[in-house]
Structures are given as C-alpha cells and as structure tokens.
Amino acid sequence: MTPKKILLVEDDDIIAKVEDWRLKNLGYEVAGRAVSGAEAMDLVAKTRPDLVLMDINIQGEMDGIETAKRIKKQFSIPVVYVTSHSDGSTLDRAKATQPDGFIVKPFEDNDLRVGIELALKKK
C-alpha cells in the first residue's frame, strides 16, 4: 500500500523537524513543508497531498486558519490543525472552517496517528 502524503505547514524549524521525523516513523510520506500560507497553497497545488497538517500561527499575510479555509475550498483536501493556540476565539475561528481534526501541542505520536487516520477516514 502506498503511504499517504502529508504536507506540513509549520514555521518553527525544530517543531517541523520533529513532526517530519514522527510522520516518517508512523509510515507516512512527507510531501513537503511550508512556512507561510502562500507557500502552502503552492505546495498543495504541486504535490496534491492526501492531508495537510496546519499550524495556526504561521508567517505571511494569511494565518493557518485562512490558509486551511482556502485549501479546503480549492482542493478539497483534509486539514488537521496542529497548534498550541486553543483559546476560545482561536478555536471558534478554527471550527468555522470545519477542520478534519485539531491536535494541541505538545502531542504524542499516538495523538498524531489518531488525528491523521480519523481525518483520512472522512475523505
């Protein structure tokens, strides 16, 4: 079976390296990494991942929530938020995009695996 391709949208280098390592250890293929919304949109168009792991607080004009909204609308690709921002207003904005999952940092491998598998099941 071909591993599922996952695009990382994370602007923190250390966190991105850990997520990349964890994803590969869990048997997923990392389609690439973006640090901004614009870069994420370009990579989604080029790589057509099966799923996007999206940090909410990223570089550029679009935050992760706006980027996720655009990805879901233009490409119909599942998006799982992976963020340390879970306050009420952020959560309300994220819920409005109908995310396919929400994982709060810090997380364990199993949290990541379950979040991804449930999102891919919806697809």
Side-chain angles (χ1 to χ4, degrees), residues 43-56:
L43 280 174
V44 167
K46 288 177 186 170
T47 65
R48 296 295 179 161
D50 296 297
L51 182 134
V52 176
L53 284 181
M54 178 71 67
D55 187 16
I56 289 177

Side-chain angles (χ1 to χ4, degrees), residues 41 48 69-77:
M41 296 300 293
R48 296 295 179 161
K69 188 164 112 180
R70 291 182 186 190
I71 287 170
K72 290 174 74 64
K73 182 178 181 182
Q74 291 180 20
F75 301 100
S76 298
I77 294 173

Side-chain angles (χ1 to χ4, degrees), residues 25-61:
N25 280 344
L26 290 169
Y28 300 108
E29 178 185 332
V30 177
R33 173 187 168 212
V35 298
S36 69
E39 188 178 12
M41 296 300 293
D42 287 343
L43 280 174
V44 167
K46 288 177 186 170
T47 65
R48 296 295 179 161
D50 296 297
L51 182 134
V52 176
L53 284 181
M54 178 71 67
D55 187 16
I56 289 177
N57 191 20
I58 57 175
Q59 297 175 16
E61 293 180 18

Side-chain angles (χ1 to χ4, degrees), residues 1-7 23-24 26-32 47-53 78 113 116-117 119-123:
M1 189 164 101
T2 306
K4 297 294 186 181
K5 292 191 310 184
I6 299 177
L7 176 68
L23 288 168
K24 289 175 180 170
L26 290 169
Y28 300 108
E29 178 185 332
V30 177
T47 65
R48 296 295 179 161
D50 296 297
L51 182 134
V52 176
L53 284 181
R113 183 184 61 78
I116 290 169
E117 290 301 314
L120 289 172
K121 185 76 172 162
K122 289 181 184 180
K123 189 175 173 185

Side-chain angles (χ1 to χ4, degrees), residues 79-122:
V79 176
V80 174
Y81 292 114
V82 181
T83 185
S84 56
H85 300 278
S86 58
D87 58 272
S89 62
T90 300
L91 188 56
D92 287 342
R93 284 187 61 227
K95 286 189 311 189
T97 67
Q98 299 180 333
D100 299 283
F102 198 99
I103 301 170
V104 179
K105 296 176 191 173
F107 55 86
E108 300 295 325
D109 286 359
N110 200 47
D111 300 324
L112 190 59
R113 183 184 61 78
V114 169
I116 290 169
E117 290 301 314
L118 288 174
L120 289 172
K121 185 76 172 162
K122 289 181 184 180

